[in-house]
Amino acid sequence: SSCISNGPYIMNSANGNDSKKFKGDVRSPGVPSRVVHVRKLPNDINEAEVIGLGLPFGKVTNLLMLKGKNQAFLELNSEECAQTMVSYYSSVTPVIRNHPIYMQYSTHKELKTDNSPNQVRAQAALQAVNALHGGGMGSMAISADASTMGGAGTQSPVLRVIVENLFYPVTLDVLHQIFSKFGTVLKIITFTKNNQFQALIQYADGMTAQHAKLSLDGQNIYNACCTLRISFSKLTSLNVKYNNDKSRDYTRPDLPTADSQPSIDHQTMAAAAFGLSMPGIPSALASLGVGHSGMAAAAAAASRLGLSGLTASGGHNVLLVSNLNPEVSTLTCVTPSSSSLGVYGDVMRVKILFNKKENALIQMSDGTQAQLAMSHLNGQRLHGRAMRVTLSKHTTVQLPREGHEDQGLTKDYSNSPLHRFKKPGSKNYSNIFPPSATLHLSNIPPSVMEDDLRRLFASSGATVKAFKFFQKDRKMALIQMGSVEEAIESLIEFHNHDLGENHHLRVSFSKSTI
C-alpha cells in the first residue's frame, strides 16, 4: 500500500501554477488528486511542519514548497489518502502559529520537482521524516520477507501493548477502534501492571498481528502522549470471562458483564481519541479514522504541552446540561465561581431554561473546553441525579435584550476573575483529570490546619475519609471524600472558599489517592 517515489525530480517551480490560477480565498475543490495544494502558510513554516499536515493520512511521497507564495504542494501515496486529508481538514481547520491553513486538490496529478536548493531541502526533510516513521518500503519489505519465509505464520496472534506517557485515559473502546483498522480484533484484555496501563489484543492470525505491530509500534494515540509500545505475547489465545470496560470477547456477546463499574460514557471517551497533526508533532493515528467528534484528549495534551494548533470542532462551545436536581439551585450547580464545569474550561455564560429549571445552557470559552467538560462530566451524579452533558445546537447563549426581564436566569461571566484557563498554556491544563473521590487543594494559608479543612468539608454533610498535606509544599493537600458524587458537590461548594489572609481555596480533582 505504501510506495516511495524515487523518480527524477524534474519539475521547476513554475509548475506551481495552481497559485497563479487561484484568485481570492475560495476556489471550488476540483477533481480529486493525490496532490494537495496547501495555502496561507505562515512565513516561517518549515518543511517538516508541512509534511506533518499530510502524515496522519498516509505516506507523503513528494513535496514542493513555494515559500514566496506561502504555499506548498503535498503528494500522498494514493488518491484515497488525499481525499481523506482534504475532507478531514474541510471540517477541522488546522492552525499553525495562529494561522488557519487551507487546502484543496491540486490540478496536478503528481509532482515532479527540480534540483533547486529549495527542493533539495524539501526532499531531505521528506526522507528524514520517512526514515523516522519506518519508511513505508522498509516495513513492506520486512512484511513480505516474513510471509515468504513463513515467519509471520508462526508469530502469536496476540499483541502485548504498553501505553507510555499516559497523560489521558485510554479506554478499551479506543484501542478497539485503532487496532480494528488492521483486521478483526477477536478479544481485548486491559490491566495495569508496574504502574503502566497495558492491554492484550488478539487477532485471528499472526500475519494480521504483525501488520498491526509494524504500523502502530511507537505511534502516539494523542498528540505527543499515550505512546504505543507493542510486542508479541507468549500467549496464543486469550481467555475472557466478562464483557465490560476492562475486557471483551467480540466473538461471545453473551458473556456476563460481572460487576465492573462502567466508566464515563464510553462513546464520548472513544470519540476523544482524536489524532490531529500538530505543528512538528505528527500523530499518524488520525489516518486510522479514529473519531474526531471529541476534542478532549488532544486538546488536553496540546494545552498541557503549551502547543497551539487545535481549533474547536465546528465551534460547538455551548453545552446543554440537563437532569440537574431542581431542589438545589441550578445556578449554584453551574456558576463558574465553583462549577465542576469550571475545572475543564472557562464558563462564559449560563442560562437556566425558563420552563425547565433542571436544564441549563452553558457557554464555554471554546469548543475544546466544551468537549473536555462533556467527556468528563456526562453521566456523573450530582445531588442524587446523573447529569447529562451534551453539545447544544446553539452557538452562543444570548443575553436578554435591554428592558427584558429574564428573572435572573441568564448570567454573563466573561469578565470573571475566577477563570482557570485565561493564560495560554496555563499550568491548570496539566491538572485536568476525570472526577474522582480525592480532591486536590491548593492556596492554603499557613494558619489553616488539617482539622480546619476536615471540618470545612464535613460541614456540607459529606464524609471526609482521609487527608494529607503535601510534604514539600504545605500550601497543597489531598482530601478524600466518601464518593465521587460527594467530591463533585464539595468542589462546587468550596472552590474559591475564603480561608482568610487573602487566600481563596482552589479545588480540583486529583489523579492520586491517599
Side-chain angles (χ1 to χ4, degrees):
S1 58
S2 297
C3 59
I4 296 179
S5 81
N6 290 321
Y9 304 116
I10 46 173
M11 172 187 194
N12 63 36
S13 297
N15 249 3
N17 60 3
D18 285 31
S19 49
K20 293 196 180 69
K21 293 178 202 164
F22 169 70
K23 295 277 184 287
D25 266 9
V26 181
R27 186 186 87 157
S28 60
V31 181
S33 155
R34 66 192 183 104
V35 180
V36 177
H37 180 194
V38 186
R39 303 179 284 112
K40 296 275 181 131
L41 292 164
N43 292 328
D44 52 348
I45 190 83
N46 64 41
E47 286 80 3
E49 288 173 301
V50 177
I51 296 166
L53 289 167
L55 203 61
F57 304 93
K59 189 169 174 53
V60 177
T61 48
N62 212 342
L63 169 68
L64 175 69
M65 297 286 285
L66 300 176
K67 285 199 172 170
K69 296 190 168 74
N70 301 84
Q71 298 183 18
F73 292 87
L74 268 182
E75 179 186 280
L76 280 91
N77 63 333
S78 74
E79 203 172 277
E80 189 185 12
C81 295
Q83 278 182 294
T84 310
M85 177 177 171
V86 170
S87 66
Y88 176 82
Y89 285 133
S90 67
S91 62
V92 180
T93 306
V95 176
I96 296 180
R97 286 192 277 290
N98 297 324
H99 278 255
I101 312 298
Y102 298 97
M103 49 195 86
Q104 62 203 37
Y105 297 115
S106 164
T107 53
H108 302 296
K109 284 293 174 197
E110 62 178 356
L111 287 181
K112 295 189 180 70
T113 48
D114 62 14
N115 289 319
S116 67
N118 277 354
Q119 296 320 317
V120 169
R121 195 166 63 243
Q123 295 310 316
L126 201 54
Q127 282 165 13
V129 169
N130 283 333
L132 189 68
H133 286 264
M137 287 291 277
S139 304
M140 292 302 288
I142 295 167
S143 192
D145 282 342
S147 59
T148 52
M149 295 173 350
T154 59
Q155 289 288 12
S156 166
V158 179
L159 295 176
R160 180 171 178 237
V161 179
I162 296 175
V163 183
E164 295 178 350
N165 302 326
L166 191 72
F167 280 147
Y168 199 85
V170 173
T171 65
L172 182 143
D173 293 313
V174 166
L175 290 173
H176 183 255
Q177 265 187 295
I178 292 166
F179 282 82
S180 291
K181 298 294 172 185
F182 299 92
T184 305
V185 172
L186 304 184
K187 302 170 188 176
I188 300 182
I189 297 173
T190 64
F191 54 97
T192 301
K193 185 177 176 184
N194 304 331
N195 285 333
Q196 285 183 310
F197 176 78
Q198 303 192 23
L200 292 168
I201 297 174
Q202 182 180 339
Y203 285 108
D205 58 79
M207 192 69 198
T208 309
Q210 175 151 12
H211 181 40
K213 178 181 181 297
L214 283 168
S215 303
L216 293 174
D217 189 23
Q219 299 287 5
N220 295 329
I221 298 182
Y222 306 139
N223 295 299
C225 72
C226 300
T227 309
L228 295 170
R229 299 282 173 225
I230 303 173
S231 57
F232 290 105
S233 169
K234 292 190 179 76
L235 300 168
T236 53
S237 181
L238 299 178
N239 181 18
V240 175
K241 293 177 182 164
Y242 304 112
N243 282 341
N244 54 37
D245 58 331
K246 299 281 186 288
S247 63
R248 201 137 334 144
D249 183 339
Y250 296 94
T251 65
R252 293 277 314 277
D254 54 310
L255 286 179
T257 58
D259 55 355
S260 170
Q261 288 295 309
S263 54
I264 310 160
D265 179 6
H266 277 320
Q267 289 317 109
T268 309
M269 290 298 285
F274 173 89
L276 174 59
S277 163
M278 301 285 290
I281 304 181
S283 168
L285 293 181
S287 59
L288 303 178
V290 176
H292 66 263
S293 61
M295 304 278 291
S303 307
R304 185 174 285 116
L305 294 161
L307 297 166
S308 60
L310 283 166
T311 53
S313 63
H316 287 298
N317 57 338
V318 179
L319 295 169
L320 173 63
V321 181
S322 54
N323 204 35
L324 293 164
N325 189 331
E327 291 169 28
V328 181
S329 161
T330 306
L331 264 179
T332 310
C333 295
V334 291
T335 50
S337 60
S338 54
S339 161
S340 51
L341 285 96
V343 174
Y344 301 111
D346 295 332
V347 176
M348 294 293 152
R349 289 181 183 170
V350 175
K351 184 183 188 73
I352 307 302
L353 302 192
F354 184 75
N355 294 326
K356 293 183 178 171
K357 298 284 195 296
E358 64 271 22
N359 294 352
L361 288 173
I362 316 283
Q363 184 176 329
M364 305 298 285
S365 172
D366 59 41
T368 297
Q369 295 180 359
Q371 292 280 357
L372 208 47
M374 179 176 76
S375 71
H376 282 305
L377 293 172
N378 183 41
Q380 292 290 347
R381 294 185 72 75
L382 179 63
H383 299 300
R385 289 184 166 205
M387 265 191 296
R388 277 200 296 277
V389 184
T390 54
L391 288 174
S392 164
K393 60 181 187 292
H394 297 284
T395 52
T396 182
V397 169
Q398 297 289 341
L399 290 174
R401 291 204 299 278
E402 234 174 293
H404 285 67
E405 180 55 59
D406 87 332
Q407 298 179 332
L409 294 176
T410 309
K411 300 269 186 205
D412 183 68
Y413 296 102
S414 46
N415 295 318
S416 165
L418 300 167
H419 290 156
R420 300 185 191 217
F421 303 100
K422 279 195 297 240
K423 296 187 187 120
S426 156
K427 69 177 189 316
N428 287 324
Y429 277 110
S430 57
N431 296 323
I432 293 177
F433 302 110
S436 65
T438 307
L439 296 170
H440 179 278
L441 313 180
S442 59
N443 206 29
I444 303 166
S447 60
V448 171
M449 299 297 147
E450 175 177 337
D451 281 353
D452 300 322
L453 290 163
R454 278 179 173 268
R455 266 200 307 275
L456 176 68
F457 277 77
S459 66
S460 63
T463 308
V464 175
K465 281 193 159 177
F467 182 93
K468 185 174 82 177
F469 274 114
F470 278 59
Q471 262 182 322
K472 291 182 181 164
D473 187 354
R474 219 190 141 285
K475 293 195 206 74
M476 296 197 288
L478 295 177
I479 187 164
Q480 187 183 340
M481 309 309 294
S483 65
V484 175
E485 184 175 0
E486 283 191 354
I488 295 174
E489 289 165 12
S490 300
L491 181 143
I492 290 169
E493 180 90 15
F494 298 117
H495 177 66
N496 204 47
H497 182 83
D498 189 350
L499 292 174
E501 301 173 44
N502 207 13
H503 281 68
H504 285 76
L505 184 65
R506 300 187 69 77
V507 185
S508 55
F509 297 115
S510 170
K511 67 171 176 183
S512 314
T513 51
I514 301 175

